Amino acid sequence: MRTSSSRRGRGRGHRTALTAVTAIAAVATGTALLTGCGGDSGKDPGPTGGEQITLRIGTFGSFGYDNATGAKLYAEYEKAHPHIKIEESNVADGQKYWDTLKLRLSRDSGLADIQALEVGYIAEATGPTLADKWTDLGKTGGADLGAFLDWKVKQATTGDGKVIGLGTDIGPMAICYNKDLFARAGLPTDRTEVAALWAGDWAKFLQAGETYKKNAPAGTAFHDSASGLFNAVISSEPVQYADAKGGLDYENSPGVKKAWDTAVAAAKGELTAKLRQFDEKGTWNAAFKNSKFATVACPSWMTGIIKDQAGPENQGKWDIAAPPVAGNWGGSFLAVPKSGKHTKEAAELAAWLTAPAQHAKVFGVNGNIPSSKDALASPAVQDAKLPYFGDTPVGRIYSQAAAGITPAPISRWDGQVKTFLTDNGILDIEQRGTDPAKAWENVRKLVDDKIDQ
């Protein structure tokens, strides 16, 4: 789920590099304190013996652990554990990832030793059908459950008290914007002034889009995707897809109605680039590099995607502003299938990857806001900057947004209903001109046909 120029001369690039080194050093210093108490999972593990094994991790999006563009955590763990080799398999589309994972769980075959779980599917993963498929990470692996945000642990806890997932990140919201495109369209570029354009109301965000549209650089749109906007708005609502008891109630949800109406207005007003986020053809990714849109709803994990997809030639062009309304879009967990051959070793790796020290390392490189309390509150995170975004106070922006998060009730159908609403509803309106009433009815039929409540 994640994501990174140097077009302003050596002096600027040098200062940015120094900022990055300083931030990472601060993270290393700060997180040493974070792991002084609690379980051993946060400490750098010493070399151990044993048979040579390979631990496979299945992920989606960008978790920031890898040795190429991430925090190089796999290499660090392998160095401390010479008998362990780590292999990650990754897909871009979270819904397809989950559909495949459910199929493999039903067969107890083809599973990785560690499987990432997105929050939209965690209620289903902990539900009666799948709860027994996972290792209890409250008892295996040595994770310090007290280190995590309480609500994050609760989300991954089954009805009988098993903790099946360890929190990776959370998704506090912001708006990322292309300063170059804003300037060319006559909009302010200072992040405080930009945030003031839409403060407190998503309707004001659409108004800013109308202003952009009047003077938009040729071939560009204000926003990337109406579906992405839907997800941003729903993430800021206290009532989303479920009622207070965890039952699916999207048709009566004021949050769904507001998100749908806002996204439809953006699509009908031609404020978007009509893109499907995370599409397999890479069209959305290419649009970052080619500067085809000026804004994207930007949970903390999106900063890593921008870095990777916009590329070094666009470094310095993107900035981050506060959103119209605080919200939480996304956040994930690491889980260990019970049927694996190396559940103990996998649980230990999952505990280490999700410990506060590693949370802070990933944030320092990829921008994923930690789901552990100490890491989230530490100066190393709150004062951090990401090299790709220059002097933007990334840590402060997202830490403040995180403080405003009140988790909404979730049902085990949230992820699938969200996909129907966005990929089959909003996207049809945006790309094919489908009448909104017809698109809504299509979504209702899909829910009725595909979801067994």
Side-chain angles (χ1 to χ4, degrees):
M1 306 182 23
R2 251 19 66 202
T3 99
S4 143
S5 162
S6 175
R7 58 185 290 275
R8 302 203 179 188
R10 182 176 179 181
R12 172 64 177 257
H14 182 60
R15 287 194 297 273
T16 301
L18 286 177
T19 301
V21 171
T22 302
I24 293 170
V27 167
T29 301
T31 53
L33 299 175
L34 299 179
T35 57
C37 301
D40 292 338
S41 58
K43 300 178 182 178
D44 288 340
T48 59
E51 64 172 324
Q52 192 71 29
I53 64 172
T54 297
L55 294 178
R56 294 176 173 83
I57 301 180
T59 65
F60 51 89
S62 174
F63 277 70
Y65 301 145
D66 64 277
N67 301 329
T69 61
K72 299 178 173 56
L73 296 187
Y74 297 149
E76 182 178 348
Y77 197 84
E78 288 171 339
K79 184 177 180 180
H81 296 76
H83 68 295
I84 290 178
K85 179 182 179 182
I86 301 170
E87 294 180 355
E88 178 181 352
S89 60
N90 175 271
V91 298
D93 191 309
Q95 180 64 53
K96 291 183 178 179
Y97 169 90
W98 175 243
D99 290 342
T100 301
L101 177 55
K102 282 201 298 182
L103 179 62
R104 292 175 176 174
L105 285 167
S106 70
R107 297 173 176 175
D108 284 330
S109 66
L111 295 162
D113 297 285
I114 296 174
Q115 296 280 176
L117 301 175
E118 205 267 343
V119 66
Y121 307 103
I122 193 64
E124 187 173 1
T126 58
T129 302
L130 298 178
D132 288 337
K133 296 290 185 178
W134 311 102
T135 300
D136 185 353
L137 298 178
K139 297 180 178 178
T140 305
D144 178 10
L145 299 182
F148 296 94
L149 293 166
D150 295 341
W151 58 265
K152 190 75 172 178
V153 176
K154 183 178 179 180
Q155 287 179 332
T157 302
T158 65
D160 59 357
K162 292 186 297 186
V163 177
I164 65 135
L166 302 177
T168 57
D169 61 335
I170 55 177
M173 277 287 307
I175 299 293
C176 290
Y177 64 100
N178 187 307
K179 293 184 290 185
D180 182 60
L181 293 181
F182 262 48
R184 291 165 62 190
L187 290 173
T189 58
D190 175 79
R191 68 185 69 92
T192 302
E193 295 178 16
V194 169
L197 293 174
W198 49 64
D201 192 346
W202 286 104
K204 292 181 181 179
F205 184 74
L206 298 184
Q207 292 170 8
E210 293 289 351
T211 302
Y212 179 89
K213 181 181 173 182
K214 292 176 183 177
N215 299 294
T220 72
F222 177 65
H223 200 60
D224 68 320
S225 161
S227 294
L229 182 57
F230 175 93
N231 284 326
V233 177
I234 195 71
S235 79
S236 67
E237 289 294 310
V239 179
Q240 299 179 9
Y241 308 100
D243 59 28
K245 296 181 179 180
L248 183 63
D249 194 27
Y250 76 99
E251 291 188 79
N252 298 310
S253 165
V256 169
K257 183 180 187 321
K258 184 173 184 178
W260 177 270
D261 290 347
T262 303
V264 168
K268 299 289 281 185
E270 298 186 341
L271 302 182
T272 75
K274 302 181 180 180
L275 298 169
R276 178 180 179 270
Q277 293 184 333
F278 308 105
D279 68 299
E280 293 179 333
K281 294 181 179 179
T283 307
W284 181 63
N285 290 342
F288 278 106
K289 186 177 293 293
N290 297 321
S291 298
K292 291 297 186 181
F293 52 82
T295 64
V296 60
C298 206
S300 52
W301 47 262
M302 187 70 78
T303 59
I305 293 176
I306 294 172
K307 168 177 67 86
D308 290 346
Q309 302 306 330
E313 61 267 37
N314 288 305
Q315 186 167 337
K317 290 184 179 181
W318 284 88
D319 208 333
I320 307 171
V325 185
N328 184 76
W329 175 6
S332 299
F333 305 82
L334 295 184
V336 176
K338 189 186 293 184
S339 60
K341 294 181 179 179
H342 308 291
T343 55
K344 177 179 179 294
E345 292 86 353
E348 290 171 349
L349 174 57
W352 185 81
L353 288 171
T354 57
Q358 281 60 257
H359 275 170
K361 292 171 189 174
V362 170
F363 175 77
V365 174
N366 223 43
N368 305 18
I369 286 288
S371 60
S372 52
K373 290 176 283 192
D374 287 347
L376 184 60
S378 70
V381 169
Q382 294 206 11
D383 297 339
K385 299 176 181 179
L386 297 176
Y388 194 81
F389 292 86
D391 64 353
T392 303
V394 177
R396 177 169 56 80
I397 290 170
Y398 283 114
S399 295
Q400 289 177 353
I405 292 174
T406 301
I410 57 177
S411 80
R412 60 190 181 95
W413 303 278
D414 283 14
Q416 195 167 359
V417 171
K418 178 177 72 173
T419 297
F420 292 155
L421 284 163
T422 54
D423 289 3
N424 301 99
I426 300 295
L427 197 64
D428 278 353
I429 298 168
E430 187 176 37
Q431 293 187 347
R432 300 177 182 87
T434 303
D435 178 77
K438 176 63 174 176
W440 179 263
E441 186 60 27
N442 290 342
V443 170
R444 289 184 68 251
K445 289 179 180 177
L446 278 169
V447 174
D448 290 343
D449 291 345
K450 302 293 185 181
I451 294 181
D452 181 21
Q453 299 186 54

